[in-house]
mmCIF file of all heavy atoms in Angstrom:
data_model
loop_
_atom_site.group_PDB
_atom_site.id
_atom_site.type_symbol
_atom_site.label_atom_id
_atom_site.label_comp_id
_atom_site.label_asym_id
_atom_site.label_seq_id
_atom_site.Cartn_x
_atom_site.Cartn_y
_atom_site.Cartn_z
ATOM 1 N N GLY A 304 -7.136 16.920 -13.536
ATOM 2 C CA GLY A 304 -8.057 17.986 -13.886
ATOM 3 C C GLY A 304 -8.719 18.663 -12.702
ATOM 4 O O GLY A 304 -9.455 19.634 -12.875
ATOM 5 N N ARG A 305 -8.487 18.159 -11.492
ATOM 6 C CA ARG A 305 -9.083 18.777 -10.299
ATOM 7 C C ARG A 305 -8.050 19.651 -9.595
ATOM 8 O O ARG A 305 -6.904 19.262 -9.434
ATOM 9 C CB ARG A 305 -9.569 17.694 -9.311
ATOM 10 C CG ARG A 305 -10.867 17.036 -9.702
ATOM 11 C CD ARG A 305 -12.100 17.924 -9.512
ATOM 12 N NE ARG A 305 -12.327 18.375 -8.154
ATOM 13 C CZ ARG A 305 -13.004 17.698 -7.232
ATOM 14 N NH1 ARG A 305 -13.516 16.523 -7.516
ATOM 15 N NH2 ARG A 305 -13.185 18.188 -6.020
ATOM 16 N N ARG A 306 -8.495 20.816 -9.175
ATOM 17 C CA ARG A 306 -7.639 21.736 -8.432
ATOM 18 C C ARG A 306 -7.400 21.188 -7.025
ATOM 19 O O ARG A 306 -8.348 20.738 -6.367
ATOM 20 C CB ARG A 306 -8.356 23.090 -8.374
ATOM 21 C CG ARG A 306 -7.581 24.201 -7.743
ATOM 22 C CD ARG A 306 -6.838 25.021 -8.765
ATOM 23 N NE ARG A 306 -5.932 25.932 -8.083
ATOM 24 C CZ ARG A 306 -5.070 26.721 -8.693
ATOM 25 N NH1 ARG A 306 -4.990 26.725 -10.019
ATOM 26 N NH2 ARG A 306 -4.271 27.502 -8.017
ATOM 27 N N LEU A 307 -6.144 21.223 -6.548
ATOM 28 C CA LEU A 307 -5.808 20.723 -5.214
ATOM 29 C C LEU A 307 -5.563 21.840 -4.213
ATOM 30 O O LEU A 307 -5.542 21.604 -3.009
ATOM 31 C CB LEU A 307 -4.549 19.855 -5.266
ATOM 32 C CG LEU A 307 -4.582 18.638 -6.181
ATOM 33 C CD1 LEU A 307 -3.245 17.915 -6.126
ATOM 34 C CD2 LEU A 307 -5.711 17.701 -5.789
ATOM 35 N N ALA A 308 -5.304 23.042 -4.708
ATOM 36 C CA ALA A 308 -4.929 24.160 -3.835
ATOM 37 C C ALA A 308 -5.724 25.380 -4.254
ATOM 38 O O ALA A 308 -6.201 25.461 -5.388
ATOM 39 C CB ALA A 308 -3.435 24.432 -3.957
ATOM 40 N N PRO A 309 -5.863 26.359 -3.345
ATOM 41 C CA PRO A 309 -6.611 27.560 -3.710
ATOM 42 C C PRO A 309 -5.840 28.392 -4.730
ATOM 43 O O PRO A 309 -4.638 28.209 -4.919
ATOM 44 C CB PRO A 309 -6.723 28.310 -2.381
ATOM 45 C CG PRO A 309 -5.551 27.855 -1.586
ATOM 46 C CD PRO A 309 -5.332 26.423 -1.970
ATOM 47 N N HIS A 310 -6.534 29.296 -5.377
ATOM 48 C CA HIS A 310 -5.855 30.252 -6.250
ATOM 49 C C HIS A 310 -5.099 31.254 -5.385
ATOM 50 O O HIS A 310 -5.424 31.448 -4.223
ATOM 51 C CB HIS A 310 -6.877 30.945 -7.145
ATOM 52 C CG HIS A 310 -7.472 29.996 -8.143
ATOM 53 N ND1 HIS A 310 -6.929 29.762 -9.385
ATOM 54 C CD2 HIS A 310 -8.548 29.173 -8.057
ATOM 55 C CE1 HIS A 310 -7.637 28.851 -10.018
ATOM 56 N NE2 HIS A 310 -8.637 28.477 -9.245
ATOM 57 N N GLY A 311 -4.051 31.845 -5.960
ATOM 58 C CA GLY A 311 -3.310 32.863 -5.224
ATOM 59 C C GLY A 311 -2.046 32.347 -4.567
ATOM 60 O O GLY A 311 -1.451 33.039 -3.746
ATOM 61 N N VAL A 312 -1.626 31.117 -4.911
ATOM 62 C CA VAL A 312 -0.377 30.596 -4.359
ATOM 63 C C VAL A 312 0.638 30.398 -5.486
ATOM 64 O O VAL A 312 0.277 30.132 -6.624
ATOM 65 C CB VAL A 312 -0.579 29.247 -3.623
ATOM 66 C CG1 VAL A 312 -1.582 29.411 -2.493
ATOM 67 C CG2 VAL A 312 -1.031 28.160 -4.575
ATOM 68 N N ALA A 313 1.920 30.565 -5.136
ATOM 69 C CA ALA A 313 3.009 30.293 -6.074
ATOM 70 C C ALA A 313 3.436 28.835 -5.923
ATOM 71 O O ALA A 313 2.996 28.143 -5.001
ATOM 72 C CB ALA A 313 4.175 31.228 -5.803
ATOM 73 N N VAL A 314 4.282 28.361 -6.846
ATOM 74 C CA VAL A 314 4.716 26.960 -6.824
ATOM 75 C C VAL A 314 6.210 26.862 -7.125
ATOM 76 O O VAL A 314 6.719 27.583 -7.986
ATOM 77 C CB VAL A 314 3.927 26.127 -7.867
ATOM 78 C CG1 VAL A 314 4.526 24.724 -8.015
ATOM 79 C CG2 VAL A 314 2.466 26.023 -7.458
ATOM 80 N N PHE A 315 6.890 25.989 -6.404
ATOM 81 C CA PHE A 315 8.295 25.636 -6.673
ATOM 82 C C PHE A 315 8.291 24.179 -7.097
ATOM 83 O O PHE A 315 7.937 23.305 -6.310
ATOM 84 C CB PHE A 315 9.111 25.858 -5.387
ATOM 85 C CG PHE A 315 10.552 25.402 -5.469
ATOM 86 C CD1 PHE A 315 11.450 26.014 -6.330
ATOM 87 C CD2 PHE A 315 11.008 24.371 -4.653
ATOM 88 C CE1 PHE A 315 12.778 25.595 -6.387
ATOM 89 C CE2 PHE A 315 12.335 23.949 -4.699
ATOM 90 C CZ PHE A 315 13.219 24.570 -5.572
ATOM 91 N N ASN A 316 8.616 23.908 -8.359
ATOM 92 C CA ASN A 316 8.455 22.560 -8.899
ATOM 93 C C ASN A 316 9.612 22.134 -9.796
ATOM 94 O O ASN A 316 9.459 21.961 -10.999
ATOM 95 C CB ASN A 316 7.126 22.475 -9.665
ATOM 96 C CG ASN A 316 6.839 21.057 -10.159
ATOM 97 O OD1 ASN A 316 7.329 20.081 -9.587
ATOM 98 N ND2 ASN A 316 6.056 20.934 -11.225
ATOM 99 N N PRO A 317 10.796 21.938 -9.204
ATOM 100 C CA PRO A 317 11.919 21.422 -10.002
ATOM 101 C C PRO A 317 11.700 19.939 -10.289
ATOM 102 O O PRO A 317 11.150 19.214 -9.462
ATOM 103 C CB PRO A 317 13.122 21.617 -9.076
ATOM 104 C CG PRO A 317 12.550 21.533 -7.695
ATOM 105 C CD PRO A 317 11.142 22.093 -7.781
ATOM 106 N N ALA A 318 12.096 19.488 -11.483
ATOM 107 C CA ALA A 318 11.909 18.080 -11.827
ATOM 108 C C ALA A 318 12.964 17.190 -11.176
ATOM 109 O O ALA A 318 12.724 16.008 -10.952
ATOM 110 C CB ALA A 318 11.952 17.910 -13.344
ATOM 111 N N PHE A 319 14.121 17.771 -10.877
ATOM 112 C CA PHE A 319 15.251 16.964 -10.416
ATOM 113 C C PHE A 319 15.918 17.644 -9.230
ATOM 114 O O PHE A 319 15.687 18.819 -8.962
ATOM 115 C CB PHE A 319 16.283 16.811 -11.544
ATOM 116 C CG PHE A 319 15.693 16.312 -12.824
ATOM 117 C CD1 PHE A 319 15.357 17.186 -13.846
ATOM 118 C CD2 PHE A 319 15.442 14.961 -13.006
ATOM 119 C CE1 PHE A 319 14.786 16.729 -15.030
ATOM 120 C CE2 PHE A 319 14.867 14.496 -14.178
ATOM 121 C CZ PHE A 319 14.547 15.376 -15.193
ATOM 122 N N ASP A 320 16.761 16.897 -8.530
ATOM 123 C CA ASP A 320 17.688 17.514 -7.597
ATOM 124 C C ASP A 320 19.043 16.840 -7.760
ATOM 125 O O ASP A 320 19.192 15.895 -8.535
ATOM 126 C CB ASP A 320 17.176 17.504 -6.150
ATOM 127 C CG ASP A 320 16.895 16.112 -5.606
ATOM 128 O OD1 ASP A 320 17.503 15.131 -6.101
ATOM 129 O OD2 ASP A 320 16.075 16.005 -4.690
ATOM 130 N N VAL A 321 20.034 17.370 -7.061
ATOM 131 C CA VAL A 321 21.403 16.870 -7.224
ATOM 132 C C VAL A 321 21.874 16.262 -5.908
ATOM 133 O O VAL A 321 21.768 16.884 -4.852
ATOM 134 C CB VAL A 321 22.361 18.005 -7.652
ATOM 135 C CG1 VAL A 321 23.806 17.499 -7.697
ATOM 136 C CG2 VAL A 321 21.949 18.556 -9.015
ATOM 137 N N THR A 322 22.377 15.046 -5.982
ATOM 138 C CA THR A 322 22.910 14.348 -4.808
ATOM 139 C C THR A 322 24.434 14.324 -4.892
ATOM 140 O O THR A 322 24.983 13.866 -5.902
ATOM 141 C CB THR A 322 22.353 12.910 -4.763
ATOM 142 O OG1 THR A 322 20.928 12.973 -4.681
ATOM 143 C CG2 THR A 322 22.900 12.141 -3.569
ATOM 144 N N PRO A 323 25.109 14.828 -3.854
ATOM 145 C CA PRO A 323 26.580 14.842 -3.907
ATOM 146 C C PRO A 323 27.147 13.434 -3.748
ATOM 147 O O PRO A 323 26.522 12.571 -3.123
ATOM 148 C CB PRO A 323 26.963 15.737 -2.728
ATOM 149 C CG PRO A 323 25.804 15.654 -1.788
ATOM 150 C CD PRO A 323 24.580 15.426 -2.624
ATOM 151 N N PRO A 324 28.336 13.198 -4.310
ATOM 152 C CA PRO A 324 28.892 11.838 -4.358
ATOM 153 C C PRO A 324 29.092 11.192 -2.991
ATOM 154 O O PRO A 324 28.956 9.970 -2.869
ATOM 155 C CB PRO A 324 30.236 12.028 -5.085
ATOM 156 C CG PRO A 324 30.487 13.498 -5.166
ATOM 157 C CD PRO A 324 29.172 14.172 -5.018
ATOM 158 N N HIS A 325 29.371 11.986 -1.946
ATOM 159 C CA HIS A 325 29.665 11.353 -0.649
ATOM 160 C C HIS A 325 28.439 10.676 -0.048
ATOM 161 O O HIS A 325 28.565 9.865 0.871
ATOM 162 C CB HIS A 325 30.257 12.374 0.334
ATOM 163 C CG HIS A 325 29.262 13.358 0.866
ATOM 164 N ND1 HIS A 325 29.006 14.574 0.260
ATOM 165 C CD2 HIS A 325 28.438 13.305 1.934
ATOM 166 C CE1 HIS A 325 28.072 15.214 0.948
ATOM 167 N NE2 HIS A 325 27.714 14.475 1.969
ATOM 168 N N LEU A 326 27.229 10.990 -0.568
ATOM 169 C CA LEU A 326 26.025 10.330 -0.045
ATOM 170 C C LEU A 326 25.702 9.022 -0.771
ATOM 171 O O LEU A 326 24.787 8.305 -0.384
ATOM 172 C CB LEU A 326 24.824 11.274 -0.136
ATOM 173 C CG LEU A 326 24.850 12.508 0.778
ATOM 174 C CD1 LEU A 326 23.645 13.395 0.519
ATOM 175 C CD2 LEU A 326 24.897 12.093 2.253
ATOM 176 N N LEU A 327 26.430 8.739 -1.852
ATOM 177 C CA LEU A 327 26.153 7.534 -2.636
ATOM 178 C C LEU A 327 27.075 6.399 -2.214
ATOM 179 O O LEU A 327 28.290 6.590 -2.101
ATOM 180 C CB LEU A 327 26.380 7.818 -4.122
ATOM 181 C CG LEU A 327 25.409 8.817 -4.760
ATOM 182 C CD1 LEU A 327 26.069 9.549 -5.922
ATOM 183 C CD2 LEU A 327 24.172 8.078 -5.244
ATOM 184 N N SER A 328 26.513 5.193 -2.017
ATOM 185 C CA SER A 328 27.353 4.023 -1.737
ATOM 186 C C SER A 328 28.051 3.566 -3.006
ATOM 187 O O SER A 328 29.206 3.140 -2.969
ATOM 188 C CB SER A 328 26.502 2.868 -1.202
ATOM 189 O OG SER A 328 25.681 3.289 -0.152
ATOM 190 N N ALA A 329 27.334 3.614 -4.122
ATOM 191 C CA ALA A 329 27.892 3.126 -5.384
ATOM 192 C C ALA A 329 27.097 3.681 -6.559
ATOM 193 O O ALA A 329 25.914 4.014 -6.420
ATOM 194 C CB ALA A 329 27.865 1.599 -5.428
ATOM 195 N N ILE A 330 27.778 3.799 -7.705
ATOM 196 C CA ILE A 330 27.097 4.051 -8.976
ATOM 197 C C ILE A 330 27.400 2.856 -9.870
ATOM 198 O O ILE A 330 28.546 2.404 -9.947
ATOM 199 C CB ILE A 330 27.577 5.369 -9.629
ATOM 200 C CG1 ILE A 330 27.090 6.564 -8.796
ATOM 201 C CG2 ILE A 330 27.096 5.468 -11.069
ATOM 202 C CD1 ILE A 330 27.546 7.922 -9.327
ATOM 203 N N VAL A 331 26.345 2.336 -10.522
ATOM 204 C CA VAL A 331 26.490 1.158 -11.374
ATOM 205 C C VAL A 331 26.215 1.546 -12.815
ATOM 206 O O VAL A 331 25.160 2.122 -13.108
ATOM 207 C CB VAL A 331 25.497 0.049 -10.954
ATOM 208 C CG1 VAL A 331 25.670 -1.183 -11.824
ATOM 209 C CG2 VAL A 331 25.671 -0.308 -9.486
ATOM 210 N N SER A 332 27.137 1.251 -13.709
ATOM 211 C CA SER A 332 26.855 1.361 -15.140
ATOM 212 C C SER A 332 27.068 -0.011 -15.757
ATOM 213 O O SER A 332 27.446 -0.962 -15.065
ATOM 214 C CB SER A 332 27.764 2.395 -15.815
ATOM 215 O OG SER A 332 28.999 1.797 -16.202
ATOM 216 N N GLU A 333 26.840 -0.134 -17.081
ATOM 217 C CA GLU A 333 27.038 -1.433 -17.739
ATOM 218 C C GLU A 333 28.507 -1.840 -17.719
ATOM 219 O O GLU A 333 28.833 -3.010 -17.909
ATOM 220 C CB GLU A 333 26.477 -1.399 -19.168
ATOM 221 C CG GLU A 333 27.275 -0.594 -20.192
ATOM 222 C CD GLU A 333 26.909 0.887 -20.193
ATOM 223 O OE1 GLU A 333 26.374 1.381 -19.163
ATOM 224 O OE2 GLU A 333 27.157 1.556 -21.217
ATOM 225 N N ARG A 334 29.389 -0.874 -17.459
ATOM 226 C CA ARG A 334 30.824 -1.175 -17.425
ATOM 227 C C ARG A 334 31.329 -1.503 -16.028
ATOM 228 O O ARG A 334 32.537 -1.693 -15.851
ATOM 229 C CB ARG A 334 31.606 -0.003 -18.015
ATOM 230 C CG ARG A 334 31.410 0.131 -19.532
ATOM 231 C CD ARG A 334 31.820 1.502 -20.034
ATOM 232 N NE ARG A 334 33.195 1.829 -19.727
ATOM 233 C CZ ARG A 334 34.236 1.639 -20.531
ATOM 234 N NH1 ARG A 334 34.044 1.099 -21.711
ATOM 235 N NH2 ARG A 334 35.440 1.996 -20.176
ATOM 236 N N GLY A 335 30.454 -1.528 -15.034
ATOM 237 C CA GLY A 335 30.890 -1.923 -13.698
ATOM 238 C C GLY A 335 30.393 -1.003 -12.612
ATOM 239 O O GLY A 335 29.455 -0.229 -12.820
ATOM 240 N N VAL A 336 31.037 -1.099 -11.464
ATOM 241 C CA VAL A 336 30.581 -0.421 -10.254
ATOM 242 C C VAL A 336 31.629 0.582 -9.776
ATOM 243 O O VAL A 336 32.800 0.231 -9.644
ATOM 244 C CB VAL A 336 30.325 -1.454 -9.131
ATOM 245 C CG1 VAL A 336 29.904 -0.761 -7.834
ATOM 246 C CG2 VAL A 336 29.260 -2.457 -9.567
ATOM 247 N N ALA A 337 31.216 1.835 -9.558
ATOM 248 C CA ALA A 337 32.080 2.846 -8.937
ATOM 249 C C ALA A 337 31.764 2.860 -7.448
ATOM 250 O O ALA A 337 30.659 3.213 -7.050
ATOM 251 C CB ALA A 337 31.821 4.216 -9.559
ATOM 252 N N ARG A 338 32.738 2.460 -6.623
ATOM 253 C CA ARG A 338 32.526 2.360 -5.168
ATOM 254 C C ARG A 338 33.857 2.398 -4.477
ATOM 255 O O ARG A 338 34.622 1.450 -4.650
ATOM 256 C CB ARG A 338 31.771 1.069 -4.843
ATOM 257 C CG ARG A 338 31.487 0.892 -3.354
ATOM 258 C CD ARG A 338 30.722 -0.378 -3.078
ATOM 259 N NE ARG A 338 31.319 -1.514 -3.779
ATOM 260 C CZ ARG A 338 30.998 -2.792 -3.530
ATOM 261 N NH1 ARG A 338 30.088 -3.085 -2.648
ATOM 262 N NH2 ARG A 338 31.569 -3.775 -4.179
ATOM 263 N N PRO A 339 34.149 3.417 -3.699
ATOM 264 C CA PRO A 339 33.332 4.603 -3.420
ATOM 265 C C PRO A 339 33.219 5.482 -4.666
ATOM 266 O O PRO A 339 33.971 5.310 -5.626
ATOM 267 C CB PRO A 339 34.100 5.314 -2.307
ATOM 268 C CG PRO A 339 35.527 4.890 -2.497
ATOM 269 C CD PRO A 339 35.459 3.480 -3.019
#
Side-chain angles (χ1 to χ4, degrees):
Chain A
R305 283 287 300 273
R306 185 94 190 175
L307 302 179
H310 292 271
V312 301
V314 171
F315 174 65
N316 185 25
F319 308 98
D320 59 25
V321 175
T322 300
H325 73 269
L326 292 176
L327 294 151
S328 310
I330 291 178
V331 181
S332 86
E333 73 274 22
R334 290 162 58 94
V336 178
R338 181 179 47 168

